[in-house]
Amino acid sequence: MVDVRDRLQSFAVRWLEEHRGLVIVLFCLPASFLFDLAVRLLKTVERILWFHASHSDRVRSIQKEVRNWNALPKSERKLMCISKPNWMSLSTTFFPKDRCHRINVNFGNILELDENNLTLRTEPNVSIGEITDYLLRRGYMLAVCLEIKDATAGGLAFAVGMTTHSHKAGLYQETVVCFEVVLADGSLITVTKDNEHSDLFYCLPWSHGTLGFLVAVTLKIIKVKQYVRVNYIPVHSQEEYCKMLMDLSGANETGVETPDFLEATIYSKTDAVIMKGDFADVDSVQKWRKVNRASRWYKPWFYKHTEQFLHAAGEEYIPLKDYLFRHNRAIFWVLESMIPFGNHPFVRLLFGWLCPPKPAFLKFTTTQLVRQMTFKKQVFQDIVMPLATLKDQVDKATKLFDTFPLLVYPCRIYNHERGPQGQLRPPPSELLVPGTNYAIYNDLGIYGTPGPVRRKEKYNATYAMREMEKFTRDVGGYSFLYADVFMTENEFNEMFDMTLYNQMRKRYGGEGAFPNLFEKIKPEVDVIALGQED
Ligand SMILES: Cc1cc2nc3c(=O)[nH]c(=O)nc-3n(C[C@H](O)[C@H](O)[C@H](O)COP(=O)(O)OP(=O)(O)OC[C@H]3O[C@@H](n4cnc5c(N)ncnc54)[C@H](O)[C@@H]3O)c2cc1C
Ligand SMILES: *[C@@H]1O[C@H](CO)[C@@H](O)[C@H](O)[C@H]1NC(C)=O
Ligand SMILES: *[C@@H]1O[C@H](CO)[C@@H](O)[C@H](O)[C@H]1NC(C)=O
Ligand SMILES: *[C@@H]1O[C@H](CO)[C@@H](O)[C@H](O)[C@H]1NC(C)=O
Ligand SMILES: *[C@@H]1O[C@H](CO)[C@@H](O)[C@H](O)[C@H]1NC(C)=O
């Protein structure tokens, strides 16, 4: 009996694997659409219900909940975490929330736009899509505005964010002016770079909710123009694209003019398209002819569009919102491994408007089996490393994963000149741009199905991932923690500087109240054991 069931199950899994694209288009996309509609409806209802409550009322209710937790006998206190369900978060891991005491930080309102100081104060559970709509109407955008609409202001503040403007603005955390945090004892504090809690200021990013609850955050915004002029530059040698990115991002020289936006998509070890973008107005017929509404549903997936410029350089004017969310519809190039025929013009025309399937929906329907499959047969990583090591990064990633395209966003990493500065160490002095307090690093994005898996050869995900992580530690880089880490706790503590974080855990009562960072972010699956299986 069990045998028959096993065989049926494995047949079903094989069938689903082989016809996954079809299943996704015919079932998942429409279901994801309805699902999204339902979630939005819920959110609206929630907003109406909370309508009469002011922000400070809502904060007080959180403080009360936390104080109630403190009043429990010690033996009954489970560690605290936010109640946001796992499937709502963009992180790929499934933290076992049922083992925690869940606090609802369900704050979804934009609070205050300050046009003099160029800042936006917002509650944490507002999505980047919502914030961008709000700001663009008024002529602004977030200084670091993520490409994925579903990311939230609070999630990014307590994790990390990086975009094609980060070679100017740095990581998302550099754009935070003020955190408003409810601590383990229920007190509310504001945390800025130079108030009495400045030590905490540097540890809240990359803390994943293990130091307190975020109830509001103030972010830097910038003035915008309606369009981005994008220049697509094809490059056909590794040395050349590495050098060009160093030059364009100002990694090597003080005072060079850098473009407003900078990105490279690497299509093979030697071939890449570098995109430099600048804010622009479209005020002539010539320019108007070059307008590309790149994010319309029937348009080619952006990285496919970009690929054409491998053969000849080009210039386009992309409306700002289309530019900001250019990678949203194909989730960079993740959608291709789900719907291999999805970029066919006919499919785009009919189903393009249903894309992308909501990450929330994909996660909601992720079973243990699918999760194990994604571990063993896919790679999904963003890694921050010094741009000067780009050649080695690409060589290593090619050797281990052999999947293209690769994504490169240059980014400033600052030395705040204050001793330990949170989980990220100050960059080594030899990497600093002369005369400044920052070095240029880059995000290397590796998403897709590894070459050996595609060719049905042997592939050991645990080996490949752990090698990549070792390389990352060796060059002084950091893995984004929304993706699965394969490190042991010791290796993790080597990659990140936990000195100040551990002090902050003690000083602000985080110990015994919240899980520690490694516990919070480690995959729910024993990935090292997974490597022993065949
Ligand atoms: C498809 C995809 C594409 C991506 N693309 C990019 C990219 O281009 N650039 C980039 O930088 N990153 C990218 N990311 C990563 C993304 O930045 C992270 O997932 C980030 O954490 C934002 O996700 P979120 O808003 O869902 O945060 P969450 O996962 O909800 O939150 C992050 C952490 O903070 C905690 N937290 C959240 N809110 C609070 C609160 N109010 N109080 C206390 N703790 C809290 C959560 O428990 C969690 O541990 C991508 C991720 C995916 C899945
Ligand atoms: C954010 O909003 C969603 C939708 O309303 C809700 O389900 C979720 O719990 C909220 N997140 C947090 C952090 O509570
Ligand atoms: C904003 O700017 C004003 C002066 O324009 C200043 O008084 C105020 O303190 C600033 N606020 C913040 C939060 O920086
Ligand atoms: C950095 O600049 C120096 C001096 O201008 C030059 O010799 C060197 O080749 C540059 N390095 C890179 C990687 O561009
Ligand atoms: C996969 O790699 C890991 C780590 O290098 C190793 O421990 C494990 O034995 C390997 N598994 C197989 C099946 O070869």
Side-chain angles (χ1 to χ4, degrees):
M1 190 59 206
V2 172
D3 188 44
V4 175
R5 213 174 52 204
D6 277 358
R7 261 194 282 163
L8 263 179
Q9 196 178 19
S10 75
F11 173 77
V13 169
R14 247 182 298 128
W15 193 88
L16 281 176
E17 259 185 24
E18 273 158 31
H19 300 90
R20 185 139 180 247
L22 205 64
V23 174
I24 288 179
V25 168
L26 295 180
F27 169 71
C28 288
L29 283 185
S32 150
F33 174 73
L34 293 177
F35 178 85
D36 184 40
L37 219 61
V39 168
R40 272 198 232 184
L41 204 71
L42 257 174
K43 210 162 177 166
T44 313
V45 171
E46 249 168 17
R47 257 191 210 154
I48 294 168
L49 290 179
W50 282 93
F51 185 66
H52 48 276
S54 67
H55 173 70
S56 45
D57 285 343
R58 288 192 288 267
V59 173
R60 268 194 294 276
S61 82
I62 302 291
Q63 290 181 278
K64 201 169 131 221
E65 273 188 66
V66 176
R67 291 203 178 105
N68 288 344
W69 175 87
N70 276 281
L72 292 173
K74 255 207 165 98
S75 59
E76 280 176 37
R77 286 187 218 161
K78 294 196 252 175
L79 299 178
M80 292 184 283
C81 71
I82 59 168
S83 64
K84 180 174 178 176
N86 272 318
W87 51 265
M88 277 260 167
S89 142
L90 284 181
S91 118
T92 57
T93 55
F94 287 76
F95 178 71
K97 296 219 163 180
D98 48 334
R99 279 192 234 142
C100 279
H101 183 96
R102 280 168 276 189
I103 305 280
N104 184 359
V105 193
N106 188 12
F107 299 178
N109 292 302
I110 292 174
L111 297 172
E112 197 184 335
L113 172 66
D114 182 339
E115 296 184 78
N116 293 322
N117 296 325
L118 288 181
T119 59
L120 180 79
R121 181 166 169 255
T122 173
E123 293 181 331
N125 198 21
V126 184
S127 75
I128 292 301
E130 290 167 313
I131 291 181
T132 304
D133 282 340
Y134 173 92
L135 285 177
L136 285 186
R137 261 183 269 132
R138 294 163 172 82
Y140 304 102
M141 64 178 255
L142 289 178
V144 170
C145 178
L146 221 77
E147 277 83 358
I148 298 295
K149 288 183 186 171
D150 285 320
T152 60
L156 290 167
F158 272 13
V160 61
M162 186 194 282
T163 71
T164 52
H165 189 63
S166 287
H167 65 289
K168 280 186 141 79
L171 293 170
Y172 184 86
Q173 67 208 56
E174 303 292 343
T175 73
V176 174
V177 177
C178 176
F179 299 98
E180 293 166 51
V181 179
V182 170
L183 296 173
D185 65 357
S187 57
L188 171 70
I189 59 170
T190 56
V191 181
T192 69
K193 242 187 177 84
D194 31 44
N195 73 1
E196 70 269 37
H197 304 298
S198 64
D199 277 352
L200 191 55
F201 184 84
Y202 292 95
C203 291
L204 288 173
W206 302 79
S207 75
H208 289 255
T210 60
L211 290 166
F213 294 109
L214 184 66
V215 292
V217 59
T218 306
L219 298 165
K220 288 184 194 162
I221 58 174
I222 56 174
K223 284 211 169 90
V224 300
K225 292 186 180 170
Q226 296 300 307
Y227 289 85
V228 177
R229 182 186 60 244
V230 179
N231 288 95
Y232 301 88
I233 309 165
V235 185
H236 299 289
S237 101
Q238 208 178 10
E239 277 69 32
E240 204 182 334
Y241 67 67
C242 290
K243 180 167 188 327
M244 195 180 277
L245 282 170
M246 289 289 283
D247 291 345
L248 285 172
S249 64
N252 200 17
E253 217 182 321
T254 318
V256 284
E257 227 0 77
T258 57
D260 291 323
F261 303 97
L262 181 60
E263 167 181 27
T265 306
I266 300 177
Y267 289 92
S268 77
K269 223 169 172 176
T270 51
D271 300 292
V273 173
I274 291 179
M275 283 152 270
K276 76 191 178 84
D278 284 289
F279 285 121
D281 290 313
V282 169
D283 47 17
S284 71
V285 178
Q286 273 117 314
K287 290 181 186 171
W288 190 79
R289 283 213 191 98
K290 290 188 188 170
V291 167
N292 175 14
R293 300 193 177 278
S295 291
R296 288 276 166 96
W297 84 94
Y298 52 83
K299 289 279 181 164
W301 290 347
F302 191 70
Y303 72 100
K304 287 286 185 195
H305 171 64
T306 311
E307 194 173 14
Q308 299 167 357
F309 294 101
L310 274 176
H311 307 297
E315 180 175 85
E316 285 180 337
Y317 288 80
I318 303 182
L320 181 56
K321 190 172 171 189
D322 286 62
Y323 175 80
L324 291 175
F325 296 125
R326 69 204 176 282
H327 286 307
N328 191 65
R329 193 156 40 91
I331 325 182
F332 299 94
W333 30 93
V334 176
L335 204 56
E336 186 183 326
S337 63
M338 300 179 193
I339 315 175
F341 50 85
N343 194 40
H344 189 283
F346 188 67
V347 179
R348 285 200 313 259
L349 198 66
L350 283 182
F351 298 103
W353 59 279
L354 287 168
C355 289
K358 287 271 149 189
F361 177 78
L362 292 175
K363 285 191 78 181
F364 194 55
T365 55
T366 298
T367 60
Q368 195 109 32
L369 222 62
V370 176
R371 178 83 169 112
Q372 298 228 348
M373 198 179 86
T374 56
F375 259 118
K376 290 191 198 168
K377 300 193 173 170
Q378 277 172 8
V379 49
F380 202 110
Q381 290 287 324
D382 280 291
I383 313 172
V384 194
M385 290 174 281
L387 184 60
T389 64
L390 183 60
K391 182 177 179 303
D392 295 339
Q393 296 173 28
V394 173
D395 288 347
K396 193 76 185 176
T398 308
K399 184 161 161 260
L400 293 172
F401 304 109
D402 186 19
T403 181
F404 291 96
L406 297 170
L407 168 143
V408 178
Y409 289 180
C411 172
R412 284 184 189 178
I413 300 288
Y414 281 90
N415 177 356
H416 290 289
E417 286 154 11
R418 57 184 317 288
Q421 58 167 31
Q423 289 83 311
L424 299 200
R425 288 180 198 83
S429 51
E430 68 271 17
L431 288 181
L432 292 179
V433 177
T436 71
N437 63 341
Y438 60 83
I440 300 285
Y441 282 49
N442 69 282
D443 175 17
L444 183 73
I446 315 169
Y447 326 118
T449 308
V453 175
R454 281 197 313 271
R455 296 188 293 269
K456 302 208 187 319
E457 294 163 12
K458 241 190 153 112
Y459 171 70
N460 183 341
T462 308
Y463 168 79
M465 274 305 307
R466 288 181 52 73
E467 278 292 301
M468 195 66 214
E469 287 170 344
K470 180 168 184 315
F471 174 83
T472 305
R473 289 195 298 277
D474 289 346
V475 299
Y478 307 94
S479 307
F480 277 35
L481 300 178
Y482 81 88
D484 297 314
V485 303
F486 283 63
M487 284 175 276
T488 63
E489 187 158 9
N490 281 339
E491 290 163 341
F492 181 84
N493 290 342
E494 208 181 296
M495 178 178 285
F496 293 92
D497 182 356
M498 304 305 278
T499 322
L500 193 59
Y501 171 86
N502 287 331
Q503 288 169 15
M504 294 303 106
R505 288 266 295 175
K506 288 209 181 76
R507 187 180 313 162
Y508 291 97
E511 237 157 63
F514 305 106
N516 86 22
L517 181 55
F518 184 73
E519 289 300 318
K520 183 76 197 285
I521 56 89
K522 75 171 188 202
E524 77 288 2
V525 180
D526 183 347
V527 287
I528 295 180
L530 210 65
Q532 317 297 342
E533 294 171 18
D534 234 333

